mmCIF file of all heavy atoms in Angstrom:
data_model
loop_
_atom_site.group_PDB
_atom_site.id
_atom_site.type_symbol
_atom_site.label_atom_id
_atom_site.label_comp_id
_atom_site.label_asym_id
_atom_site.label_seq_id
_atom_site.Cartn_x
_atom_site.Cartn_y
_atom_site.Cartn_z
ATOM 1 N N GLU Z 145 -16.692 -8.714 -5.267
ATOM 2 C CA GLU Z 145 -18.063 -8.452 -4.815
ATOM 3 C C GLU Z 145 -18.367 -9.239 -3.534
ATOM 4 O O GLU Z 145 -19.019 -8.726 -2.642
ATOM 5 C CB GLU Z 145 -19.066 -8.804 -5.917
ATOM 6 C CG GLU Z 145 -18.952 -7.920 -7.155
ATOM 7 C CD GLU Z 145 -19.210 -6.446 -6.858
ATOM 8 O OE1 GLU Z 145 -20.250 -6.131 -6.247
ATOM 9 O OE2 GLU Z 145 -18.377 -5.617 -7.233
ATOM 10 N N ASP Z 146 -17.882 -10.472 -3.457
ATOM 11 C CA ASP Z 146 -18.102 -11.277 -2.249
ATOM 12 C C ASP Z 146 -17.435 -10.639 -1.032
ATOM 13 O O ASP Z 146 -18.017 -10.600 0.050
ATOM 14 C CB ASP Z 146 -17.557 -12.698 -2.431
ATOM 15 C CG ASP Z 146 -18.414 -13.539 -3.353
ATOM 16 O OD1 ASP Z 146 -19.590 -13.174 -3.565
ATOM 17 O OD2 ASP Z 146 -17.909 -14.554 -3.861
ATOM 18 N N ALA Z 147 -16.203 -10.134 -1.216
ATOM 19 C CA ALA Z 147 -15.503 -9.510 -0.095
ATOM 20 C C ALA Z 147 -16.214 -8.233 0.343
ATOM 21 O O ALA Z 147 -16.337 -7.967 1.543
ATOM 22 C CB ALA Z 147 -14.057 -9.209 -0.480
ATOM 23 N N LYS Z 148 -16.701 -7.448 -0.609
ATOM 24 C CA LYS Z 148 -17.436 -6.228 -0.266
ATOM 25 C C LYS Z 148 -18.715 -6.574 0.490
ATOM 26 O O LYS Z 148 -19.070 -5.932 1.471
ATOM 27 C CB LYS Z 148 -17.785 -5.435 -1.523
ATOM 28 C CG LYS Z 148 -16.622 -4.725 -2.134
ATOM 29 C CD LYS Z 148 -17.070 -3.947 -3.356
ATOM 30 C CE LYS Z 148 -15.907 -3.258 -4.017
ATOM 31 N NZ LYS Z 148 -16.318 -2.503 -5.205
ATOM 32 N N ARG Z 149 -19.403 -7.606 0.010
ATOM 33 C CA ARG Z 149 -20.643 -8.034 0.666
ATOM 34 C C ARG Z 149 -20.350 -8.500 2.091
ATOM 35 O O ARG Z 149 -21.034 -8.124 3.032
ATOM 36 C CB ARG Z 149 -21.295 -9.150 -0.147
ATOM 37 C CG ARG Z 149 -22.630 -9.592 0.411
ATOM 38 C CD ARG Z 149 -23.201 -10.763 -0.406
ATOM 39 N NE ARG Z 149 -24.605 -10.949 -0.151
ATOM 40 C CZ ARG Z 149 -25.100 -11.499 0.945
ATOM 41 N NH1 ARG Z 149 -24.296 -11.917 1.906
ATOM 42 N NH2 ARG Z 149 -26.402 -11.627 1.104
ATOM 43 N N ASN Z 150 -19.304 -9.319 2.252
ATOM 44 C CA ASN Z 150 -18.943 -9.828 3.578
ATOM 45 C C ASN Z 150 -18.544 -8.707 4.525
ATOM 46 O O ASN Z 150 -18.899 -8.726 5.707
ATOM 47 C CB ASN Z 150 -17.811 -10.849 3.469
ATOM 48 C CG ASN Z 150 -18.256 -12.124 2.804
ATOM 49 O OD1 ASN Z 150 -19.447 -12.414 2.720
ATOM 50 N ND2 ASN Z 150 -17.303 -12.882 2.290
ATOM 51 N N GLU Z 151 -17.797 -7.720 4.012
ATOM 52 C CA GLU Z 151 -17.406 -6.588 4.850
ATOM 53 C C GLU Z 151 -18.649 -5.817 5.308
ATOM 54 O O GLU Z 151 -18.770 -5.445 6.469
ATOM 55 C CB GLU Z 151 -16.467 -5.648 4.103
ATOM 56 C CG GLU Z 151 -16.053 -4.466 4.961
ATOM 57 C CD GLU Z 151 -15.304 -3.381 4.204
ATOM 58 O OE1 GLU Z 151 -15.303 -3.383 2.968
ATOM 59 O OE2 GLU Z 151 -14.748 -2.508 4.886
ATOM 60 N N LEU Z 152 -19.602 -5.610 4.377
ATOM 61 C CA LEU Z 152 -20.821 -4.874 4.726
ATOM 62 C C LEU Z 152 -21.628 -5.641 5.775
ATOM 63 O O LEU Z 152 -22.105 -5.055 6.751
ATOM 64 C CB LEU Z 152 -21.664 -4.613 3.476
ATOM 65 C CG LEU Z 152 -22.962 -3.838 3.692
ATOM 66 C CD1 LEU Z 152 -22.692 -2.470 4.312
ATOM 67 C CD2 LEU Z 152 -23.716 -3.686 2.372
ATOM 68 N N VAL Z 153 -21.776 -6.941 5.602
ATOM 69 C CA VAL Z 153 -22.521 -7.744 6.578
ATOM 70 C C VAL Z 153 -21.828 -7.697 7.947
ATOM 71 O O VAL Z 153 -22.485 -7.566 8.981
ATOM 72 C CB VAL Z 153 -22.704 -9.199 6.092
ATOM 73 C CG1 VAL Z 153 -23.237 -10.089 7.196
ATOM 74 C CG2 VAL Z 153 -23.632 -9.243 4.882
ATOM 75 N N SER Z 154 -20.487 -7.767 7.951
ATOM 76 C CA SER Z 154 -19.745 -7.682 9.217
ATOM 77 C C SER Z 154 -19.972 -6.340 9.898
ATOM 78 O O SER Z 154 -20.198 -6.278 11.105
ATOM 79 C CB SER Z 154 -18.249 -7.882 8.978
ATOM 80 O OG SER Z 154 -17.989 -9.198 8.607
ATOM 81 N N LEU Z 155 -19.929 -5.267 9.114
ATOM 82 C CA LEU Z 155 -20.179 -3.937 9.682
ATOM 83 C C LEU Z 155 -21.600 -3.821 10.216
ATOM 84 O O LEU Z 155 -21.824 -3.272 11.297
ATOM 85 C CB LEU Z 155 -19.954 -2.856 8.624
ATOM 86 C CG LEU Z 155 -18.523 -2.395 8.426
ATOM 87 C CD1 LEU Z 155 -18.418 -1.490 7.203
ATOM 88 C CD2 LEU Z 155 -18.023 -1.671 9.655
ATOM 89 N N LEU Z 156 -22.560 -4.322 9.462
ATOM 90 C CA LEU Z 156 -23.958 -4.268 9.889
ATOM 91 C C LEU Z 156 -24.150 -5.044 11.194
ATOM 92 O O LEU Z 156 -24.815 -4.567 12.118
ATOM 93 C CB LEU Z 156 -24.880 -4.816 8.797
ATOM 94 C CG LEU Z 156 -25.048 -3.912 7.577
ATOM 95 C CD1 LEU Z 156 -25.607 -4.698 6.404
ATOM 96 C CD2 LEU Z 156 -25.945 -2.731 7.905
ATOM 97 N N THR Z 157 -23.560 -6.214 11.268
ATOM 98 C CA THR Z 157 -23.674 -7.024 12.476
ATOM 99 C C THR Z 157 -23.011 -6.322 13.659
ATOM 100 O O THR Z 157 -23.575 -6.255 14.750
ATOM 101 C CB THR Z 157 -23.038 -8.411 12.253
ATOM 102 O OG1 THR Z 157 -23.661 -9.022 11.114
ATOM 103 C CG2 THR Z 157 -23.222 -9.299 13.466
ATOM 104 N N PHE Z 158 -21.815 -5.793 13.432
ATOM 105 C CA PHE Z 158 -21.084 -5.109 14.494
ATOM 106 C C PHE Z 158 -21.875 -3.912 15.026
ATOM 107 O O PHE Z 158 -21.906 -3.669 16.216
ATOM 108 C CB PHE Z 158 -19.713 -4.646 13.976
ATOM 109 C CG PHE Z 158 -18.915 -3.903 15.002
ATOM 110 C CD1 PHE Z 158 -18.323 -4.579 16.059
ATOM 111 C CD2 PHE Z 158 -18.757 -2.529 14.922
ATOM 112 C CE1 PHE Z 158 -17.584 -3.900 17.015
ATOM 113 C CE2 PHE Z 158 -18.025 -1.843 15.873
ATOM 114 C CZ PHE Z 158 -17.434 -2.534 16.920
ATOM 115 N N HIS Z 159 -22.530 -3.170 14.118
ATOM 116 C CA HIS Z 159 -23.285 -1.973 14.513
ATOM 117 C C HIS Z 159 -24.768 -2.273 14.735
ATOM 118 O O HIS Z 159 -25.604 -1.375 14.692
ATOM 119 C CB HIS Z 159 -23.119 -0.869 13.460
ATOM 120 C CG HIS Z 159 -21.740 -0.295 13.415
ATOM 121 N ND1 HIS Z 159 -21.232 0.497 14.414
ATOM 122 C CD2 HIS Z 159 -20.747 -0.426 12.499
ATOM 123 C CE1 HIS Z 159 -19.993 0.849 14.107
ATOM 124 N NE2 HIS Z 159 -19.670 0.301 12.960
ATOM 125 N N GLU Z 160 -25.083 -3.557 14.969
ATOM 126 C CA GLU Z 160 -26.439 -4.009 15.273
ATOM 127 C C GLU Z 160 -27.454 -3.540 14.225
ATOM 128 O O GLU Z 160 -28.557 -3.132 14.556
ATOM 129 C CB GLU Z 160 -26.841 -3.545 16.680
ATOM 130 C CG GLU Z 160 -25.956 -4.109 17.754
ATOM 131 C CD GLU Z 160 -26.265 -3.560 19.128
ATOM 132 O OE1 GLU Z 160 -26.768 -2.421 19.232
ATOM 133 O OE2 GLU Z 160 -25.993 -4.284 20.097
ATOM 134 N N TRP Z 161 -27.066 -3.564 12.981
ATOM 135 C CA TRP Z 161 -27.908 -3.226 11.827
ATOM 136 C C TRP Z 161 -28.412 -1.780 11.886
ATOM 137 O O TRP Z 161 -29.429 -1.439 11.297
ATOM 138 C CB TRP Z 161 -29.047 -4.224 11.657
ATOM 139 C CG TRP Z 161 -28.514 -5.533 11.163
ATOM 140 C CD1 TRP Z 161 -27.922 -6.498 11.905
ATOM 141 C CD2 TRP Z 161 -28.469 -5.973 9.813
ATOM 142 N NE1 TRP Z 161 -27.512 -7.523 11.105
ATOM 143 C CE2 TRP Z 161 -27.841 -7.236 9.821
ATOM 144 C CE3 TRP Z 161 -28.912 -5.443 8.612
ATOM 145 C CZ2 TRP Z 161 -27.635 -7.965 8.649
ATOM 146 C CZ3 TRP Z 161 -28.714 -6.176 7.459
ATOM 147 C CH2 TRP Z 161 -28.079 -7.418 7.488
ATOM 148 N N ASN Z 162 -27.669 -0.926 12.560
ATOM 149 C CA ASN Z 162 -27.997 0.500 12.603
ATOM 150 C C ASN Z 162 -27.359 1.147 11.374
ATOM 151 O O ASN Z 162 -26.140 1.329 11.311
ATOM 152 C CB ASN Z 162 -27.464 1.130 13.890
ATOM 153 C CG ASN Z 162 -27.849 2.579 14.028
ATOM 154 O OD1 ASN Z 162 -27.652 3.369 13.108
ATOM 155 N ND2 ASN Z 162 -28.375 2.922 15.192
ATOM 156 N N ILE Z 163 -28.186 1.485 10.394
ATOM 157 C CA ILE Z 163 -27.723 1.988 9.100
ATOM 158 C C ILE Z 163 -26.951 3.300 9.260
ATOM 159 O O ILE Z 163 -25.927 3.513 8.603
ATOM 160 C CB ILE Z 163 -28.908 2.174 8.123
ATOM 161 C CG1 ILE Z 163 -29.652 0.843 7.905
ATOM 162 C CG2 ILE Z 163 -28.444 2.753 6.799
ATOM 163 C CD1 ILE Z 163 -28.815 -0.263 7.306
ATOM 164 N N ALA Z 164 -27.399 4.168 10.138
ATOM 165 C CA ALA Z 164 -26.728 5.458 10.330
ATOM 166 C C ALA Z 164 -25.295 5.259 10.852
ATOM 167 O O ALA Z 164 -24.361 5.913 10.377
ATOM 168 C CB ALA Z 164 -27.526 6.330 11.294
ATOM 169 N N ARG Z 165 -25.115 4.339 11.817
ATOM 170 C CA ARG Z 165 -23.773 4.096 12.349
ATOM 171 C C ARG Z 165 -22.866 3.455 11.308
ATOM 172 O O ARG Z 165 -21.679 3.782 11.219
ATOM 173 C CB ARG Z 165 -23.851 3.225 13.601
ATOM 174 C CG ARG Z 165 -24.431 3.985 14.780
ATOM 175 C CD ARG Z 165 -24.252 3.280 16.097
ATOM 176 N NE ARG Z 165 -24.444 1.834 16.039
ATOM 177 C CZ ARG Z 165 -24.895 1.089 17.018
ATOM 178 N NH1 ARG Z 165 -25.194 1.637 18.175
ATOM 179 N NH2 ARG Z 165 -25.035 -0.204 16.885
ATOM 180 N N VAL Z 166 -23.417 2.543 10.494
ATOM 181 C CA VAL Z 166 -22.627 1.918 9.423
ATOM 182 C C VAL Z 166 -22.214 2.982 8.405
ATOM 183 O O VAL Z 166 -21.072 3.008 7.948
ATOM 184 C CB VAL Z 166 -23.411 0.774 8.746
ATOM 185 C CG1 VAL Z 166 -22.673 0.254 7.524
ATOM 186 C CG2 VAL Z 166 -23.660 -0.357 9.743
ATOM 187 N N ALA Z 167 -23.134 3.878 8.072
ATOM 188 C CA ALA Z 167 -22.827 4.945 7.112
ATOM 189 C C ALA Z 167 -21.714 5.845 7.650
ATOM 190 O O ALA Z 167 -20.792 6.213 6.909
ATOM 191 C CB ALA Z 167 -24.085 5.761 6.820
ATOM 192 N N ARG Z 168 -21.770 6.177 8.939
ATOM 193 C CA ARG Z 168 -20.705 6.995 9.535
ATOM 194 C C ARG Z 168 -19.374 6.246 9.532
ATOM 195 O O ARG Z 168 -18.326 6.830 9.253
ATOM 196 C CB ARG Z 168 -21.074 7.398 10.962
ATOM 197 C CG ARG Z 168 -21.985 8.603 11.031
ATOM 198 C CD ARG Z 168 -22.080 9.166 12.444
ATOM 199 N NE ARG Z 168 -22.604 8.219 13.418
ATOM 200 C CZ ARG Z 168 -23.899 8.013 13.659
ATOM 201 N NH1 ARG Z 168 -24.814 8.686 12.986
ATOM 202 N NH2 ARG Z 168 -24.286 7.139 14.559
ATOM 203 N N ALA Z 169 -19.413 4.951 9.815
ATOM 204 C CA ALA Z 169 -18.186 4.155 9.838
ATOM 205 C C ALA Z 169 -17.544 4.081 8.454
ATOM 206 O O ALA Z 169 -16.325 4.035 8.329
ATOM 207 C CB ALA Z 169 -18.480 2.747 10.352
ATOM 208 N N ARG Z 170 -18.350 4.060 7.417
ATOM 209 C CA ARG Z 170 -17.857 3.991 6.042
ATOM 210 C C ARG Z 170 -17.691 5.366 5.407
ATOM 211 O O ARG Z 170 -17.224 5.482 4.293
ATOM 212 C CB ARG Z 170 -18.807 3.170 5.153
ATOM 213 C CG ARG Z 170 -18.663 1.716 5.313
ATOM 214 C CD ARG Z 170 -17.400 1.248 4.585
ATOM 215 N NE ARG Z 170 -16.593 0.449 5.448
ATOM 216 C CZ ARG Z 170 -15.398 0.785 5.904
ATOM 217 N NH1 ARG Z 170 -14.837 1.886 5.594
ATOM 218 N NH2 ARG Z 170 -14.735 0.001 6.690
ATOM 219 N N ASN Z 171 -18.116 6.412 6.133
ATOM 220 C CA ASN Z 171 -18.032 7.781 5.630
ATOM 221 C C ASN Z 171 -18.832 7.963 4.334
ATOM 222 O O ASN Z 171 -18.373 8.564 3.373
ATOM 223 C CB ASN Z 171 -16.570 8.197 5.435
ATOM 224 C CG ASN Z 171 -16.407 9.696 5.436
ATOM 225 O OD1 ASN Z 171 -17.249 10.418 5.976
ATOM 226 N ND2 ASN Z 171 -15.337 10.173 4.830
ATOM 227 N N VAL Z 172 -20.029 7.396 4.320
ATOM 228 C CA VAL Z 172 -20.953 7.529 3.197
ATOM 229 C C VAL Z 172 -22.332 7.898 3.751
ATOM 230 O O VAL Z 172 -22.534 7.939 4.963
ATOM 231 C CB VAL Z 172 -21.054 6.214 2.367
ATOM 232 C CG1 VAL Z 172 -19.720 5.850 1.740
ATOM 233 C CG2 VAL Z 172 -21.565 5.060 3.215
ATOM 234 N N THR Z 173 -23.284 8.119 2.845
ATOM 235 C CA THR Z 173 -24.644 8.446 3.280
ATOM 236 C C THR Z 173 -25.430 7.174 3.571
ATOM 237 O O THR Z 173 -25.067 6.084 3.117
ATOM 238 C CB THR Z 173 -25.386 9.255 2.196
ATOM 239 O OG1 THR Z 173 -25.541 8.435 1.048
ATOM 240 C CG2 THR Z 173 -24.623 10.530 1.837
ATOM 241 N N ARG Z 174 -26.534 7.340 4.305
ATOM 242 C CA ARG Z 174 -27.412 6.188 4.563
ATOM 243 C C ARG Z 174 -27.973 5.658 3.254
ATOM 244 O O ARG Z 174 -28.125 4.448 3.079
ATOM 245 C CB ARG Z 174 -28.543 6.579 5.512
ATOM 246 C CG ARG Z 174 -28.062 6.819 6.924
ATOM 247 C CD ARG Z 174 -29.179 7.123 7.873
ATOM 248 N NE ARG Z 174 -30.089 8.102 7.290
ATOM 249 C CZ ARG Z 174 -31.294 8.385 7.749
ATOM 250 N NH1 ARG Z 174 -31.736 7.768 8.819
ATOM 251 N NH2 ARG Z 174 -32.050 9.282 7.173
ATOM 252 N N LYS Z 175 -28.263 6.560 2.323
ATOM 253 C CA LYS Z 175 -28.786 6.154 1.016
ATOM 254 C C LYS Z 175 -27.820 5.185 0.328
ATOM 255 O O LYS Z 175 -28.244 4.189 -0.262
ATOM 256 C CB LYS Z 175 -29.018 7.382 0.138
ATOM 257 C CG LYS Z 175 -29.554 7.054 -1.224
ATOM 258 C CD LYS Z 175 -29.746 8.299 -2.071
ATOM 259 C CE LYS Z 175 -30.199 7.887 -3.462
ATOM 260 N NZ LYS Z 175 -30.208 8.995 -4.378
ATOM 261 N N THR Z 176 -26.525 5.467 0.444
ATOM 262 C CA THR Z 176 -25.518 4.581 -0.157
ATOM 263 C C THR Z 176 -25.572 3.196 0.477
ATOM 264 O O THR Z 176 -25.497 2.185 -0.225
ATOM 265 C CB THR Z 176 -24.113 5.189 0.002
ATOM 266 O OG1 THR Z 176 -24.097 6.466 -0.642
ATOM 267 C CG2 THR Z 176 -23.047 4.292 -0.590
ATOM 268 N N ILE Z 177 -25.737 3.142 1.792
ATOM 269 C CA ILE Z 177 -25.825 1.838 2.474
ATOM 270 C C ILE Z 177 -27.042 1.069 1.965
ATOM 271 O O ILE Z 177 -26.963 -0.129 1.676
ATOM 272 C CB ILE Z 177 -25.873 2.000 4.011
ATOM 273 C CG1 ILE Z 177 -24.606 2.691 4.526
ATOM 274 C CG2 ILE Z 177 -26.086 0.660 4.701
ATOM 275 C CD1 ILE Z 177 -23.313 1.936 4.292
ATOM 276 N N TYR Z 178 -28.176 1.769 1.825
ATOM 277 C CA TYR Z 178 -29.374 1.104 1.305
ATOM 278 C C TYR Z 178 -29.155 0.618 -0.131
ATOM 279 O O TYR Z 178 -29.618 -0.466 -0.505
ATOM 280 C CB TYR Z 178 -30.586 2.035 1.382
ATOM 281 C CG TYR Z 178 -31.130 2.177 2.781
ATOM 282 C CD1 TYR Z 178 -31.076 3.389 3.459
ATOM 283 C CD2 TYR Z 178 -31.699 1.092 3.450
ATOM 284 C CE1 TYR Z 178 -31.567 3.522 4.752
ATOM 285 C CE2 TYR Z 178 -32.191 1.215 4.740
ATOM 286 C CZ TYR Z 178 -32.127 2.426 5.377
ATOM 287 O OH TYR Z 178 -32.609 2.547 6.659
ATOM 288 N N GLU Z 179 -28.437 1.394 -0.923
ATOM 289 C CA GLU Z 179 -28.133 0.967 -2.297
ATOM 290 C C GLU Z 179 -27.260 -0.284 -2.285
ATOM 291 O O GLU Z 179 -27.457 -1.195 -3.089
ATOM 292 C CB GLU Z 179 -27.446 2.099 -3.064
ATOM 293 C CG GLU Z 179 -28.365 3.239 -3.412
ATOM 294 C CD GLU Z 179 -27.640 4.463 -3.964
ATOM 295 O OE1 GLU Z 179 -26.380 4.470 -4.005
ATOM 296 O OE2 GLU Z 179 -28.338 5.413 -4.356
ATOM 297 N N TRP Z 180 -26.284 -0.325 -1.368
ATOM 298 C CA TRP Z 180 -25.428 -1.508 -1.261
ATOM 299 C C TRP Z 180 -26.226 -2.719 -0.805
ATOM 300 O O TRP Z 180 -25.994 -3.832 -1.284
ATOM 301 C CB TRP Z 180 -24.281 -1.254 -0.303
ATOM 302 C CG TRP Z 180 -23.237 -0.290 -0.805
ATOM 303 C CD1 TRP Z 180 -23.092 0.194 -2.078
ATOM 304 C CD2 TRP Z 180 -22.205 0.313 -0.042
ATOM 305 N NE1 TRP Z 180 -22.043 1.056 -2.150
ATOM 306 C CE2 TRP Z 180 -21.466 1.151 -0.909
ATOM 307 C CE3 TRP Z 180 -21.831 0.240 1.290
ATOM 308 C CZ2 TRP Z 180 -20.374 1.895 -0.478
ATOM 309 C CZ3 TRP Z 180 -20.742 0.983 1.710
ATOM 310 C CH2 TRP Z 180 -20.021 1.797 0.838
#
Side-chain angles (χ1 to χ4, degrees):
E145 295 299 308
D146 287 341
K148 286 181 182 180
R149 184 183 197 285
N150 291 341
E151 180 189 14
L152 181 59
V153 169
S154 291
L155 276 171
L156 288 163
T157 304
F158 179 74
H159 291 290
E160 298 175 333
W161 288 80
N162 184 309
I163 301 299
R165 289 193 320 210
V166 172
R168 278 193 300 274
R170 281 284 129 247
N171 202 23
V172 297
T173 65
R174 289 183 314 166
K175 180 181 176 189
T176 301
I177 299 297
Y178 284 114
E179 288 170 355
W180 290 348

